[in-house]
Amino acid sequence: MDIVEFLSARIAEDEAVARKLLSDRTTSESGKWYERRLLLECEAKRRLIGIMEAARQNALATLVSDPFGEDTEWIPQALEWTTLSLNALAVPYSDHPDFNRDWLWSP
């Protein structure tokens, strides 16, 4: 399982729990506020993952199409920042059994 698959699964789990609690009549108003906010955070994380994946795919496509081009010095940095960003998004899930400890690495 790669980090994007891992994050997508965790976000889906978070959403499912939030939706369940929002439909529970015993959930307090403050609890509902928190769950609505969690749903927005899930959407924000999905958007960030999409941005990072697009940047990573663009870098890889550029590398494949023109590996010795003059304008490829940005590729290693782009790959590094996308990887580090995805790793940062995974930190809250570090207690999950599918979490890869290598994702904790940071420079």
Side-chain angles (χ1 to χ4, degrees), residues 4 7-8 10-12 14-15 34 37-53 85-86 88-93:
V4 172
L7 285 168
S8 297
R10 300 301 70 77
I11 292 167
D14 288 347
E15 280 181 327
Y34 178 81
R37 181 173 176 146
L38 179 58
L39 290 174
L40 291 172
E41 288 181 10
C42 289
E43 177 59 27
K45 288 176 186 178
R46 278 204 176 92
R47 289 181 187 190
L48 285 171
I49 291 167
I51 291 166
M52 288 178 266
E53 275 299 280
S85 298
L86 289 168
L89 284 175
V91 168
Y93 306 106

Side-chain angles (χ1 to χ4, degrees), residues 13 17 21 40 61 73 84 87 89 102:
E13 290 170 355
V17 169
L21 289 171
L40 291 172
E73 67 275 352
L84 291 174
N87 290 355
L89 284 175
D102 293 339

Side-chain angles (χ1 to χ4, degrees), residues 27-97:
T27 302
S28 68
E29 282 306 308
S30 61
K32 288 182 180 181
W33 175 89
Y34 178 81
E35 299 309 323
R36 286 190 292 270
R37 181 173 176 146
L38 179 58
L39 290 174
L40 291 172
E41 288 181 10
C42 289
E43 177 59 27
K45 288 176 186 178
R46 278 204 176 92
R47 289 181 187 190
L48 285 171
I49 291 167
I51 291 166
M52 288 178 266
E53 275 299 280
R56 183 164 35 178
Q57 294 304 318
N58 184 42
L60 292 171
T62 300
L63 187 60
V64 169
S65 67
D66 190 15
F68 303 108
E70 294 179 19
D71 191 31
T72 57
E73 67 275 352
W74 60 272
I75 292 173
Q77 292 85 9
L79 293 174
E80 181 179 13
W81 81 256
T82 57
T83 299
L84 291 174
S85 298
L86 289 168
N87 290 355
L89 284 175
V91 168
Y93 306 106
S94 62
D95 62 344
H96 192 277

